[in-house]
Amino acid sequence: MNETLRTIHSLRTIHGDFSERDVSDVDLTRILEASVRAANASGRQSYAIGVLDDRERMKELFSYQGSRALIFCVDFTRIMALARHLGHEFDNDHIIGFVTGTMDTMLAAQTAVIAAKSLGIDSMVTNGLHRTSLDKVYQTLKLPATSCFPLATVVLGYPRQEPPYQKGRLDLDAVVHFGEYR
C-alpha cells in the first residue's frame, strides 16, 4: 500500500473531542491549498471556504469545537460577478447546477480531510450548521444572501485522547454493483 492509500485507510472521525492543541497556520494553508486542487466541474470551483478559529463561535454555530473549522459553501457569487463583468448572464437557478456545485464543494471538503490526515491532523465532517437557524448562520458568517449555501463543516484538530478503535466501513459487496444494481 502506498502513502496516499495508507492515509485514506487511516481516516477516522473525532466526534468533537478535540484537544486544545492548535493547528498551525502553516498546516492550515497546506490543507487549504490541497483543498482547492480537488476535481471540479468545468474548472468552476463553485464553492467558498470560510475558516473559523473561534471555538465559542464553532460551538454556537454547529455544536462542535476544534482548533479550526472549514465551512464549505456551494457558492456561485464569484462566477456570477465574473459573468456580469464580461457582459454575460449566469443562470444557475436549477437543480443540476446545485448538484454540480454540491459535488465540487464536497470534493474540496474531502480533499481537505485527506490533506489534514496526511499532516497528522484529525477531522470531523458535520452538517451541524443545518441544526442552527440559517438566518443566524448567514448573519454570523456574513454570507451572501443569495447564490451561496453553507453545505458542510470540516472541524480540524487533534484528539484529546486516541480513540480505542477505528470504525469500520461496509465491504465492497454491500455498496459496489458491477454492471447493474442487484
Side-chain angles (χ1 to χ4, degrees):
M1 192 181 293
N2 67 31
E3 182 104 11
T4 302
L5 291 174
R6 267 192 298 282
T7 298
I8 292 169
H9 282 271
S10 71
L11 291 174
R12 62 187 183 186
T13 296
I14 303 299
H15 285 280
D17 193 22
F18 291 103
S19 72
E20 297 301 314
R21 181 177 169 196
D22 287 328
V23 171
S24 73
D25 290 341
V26 170
D27 283 344
L28 176 65
T29 298
R30 288 178 179 144
I31 293 164
L32 292 169
E33 287 173 343
S35 184
V36 300
R37 298 293 309 157
N40 60 91
S42 303
R44 289 182 176 181
Q45 290 181 278
S46 48
Y47 55 83
I49 308 167
V51 180
L52 283 180
D53 59 7
D54 181 326
R55 291 172 191 260
E56 287 307 311
R57 282 179 75 192
M58 289 179 210
K59 189 170 188 172
E60 178 183 322
L61 287 174
F62 43 83
S63 302
Y64 298 105
Q65 297 175 336
S67 172
R68 309 285 181 123
L70 309 179
I71 299 166
F72 287 84
C73 302
V74 177
D75 185 17
F76 296 107
T77 56
R78 182 184 64 254
I79 297 168
M80 292 170 63
L82 177 60
R84 267 193 312 279
H85 175 76
L86 297 172
H88 299 287
E89 288 279 325
F90 179 78
D91 175 25
N92 212 51
D93 192 20
H94 49 79
I95 191 66
I96 299 298
F98 185 73
V99 168
T100 302
T102 297
M103 289 172 53
D104 285 359
T105 305
M106 291 312 296
L107 287 167
Q110 182 64 29
T111 301
V113 167
I114 294 168
K117 188 61 178 176
S118 77
L119 297 168
I121 300 165
D122 282 304
S123 62
M124 178 185 72
V125 179
T126 179
N127 66 349
L129 282 173
H130 302 151
R131 291 186 287 273
T132 301
S133 158
L134 281 180
D135 288 339
K136 180 179 181 176
V137 171
Y138 275 79
Q139 183 178 34
T140 301
L141 299 175
K142 300 199 180 342
L143 297 176
T146 62
S147 305
C148 182
F149 181 75
L151 192 63
T153 302
V154 175
V155 183
L156 300 171
Y158 300 92
R160 189 172 310 284
Q161 62 184 10
E162 285 298 314
Y165 64 93
Q166 180 182 13
K167 290 183 181 178
R169 295 292 187 262
L170 294 172
D171 290 333
L172 293 181
D173 288 346
V175 295
V176 177
H177 307 271
F178 290 97
E180 59 185 42
Y181 193 94
R182 54 175 206 299

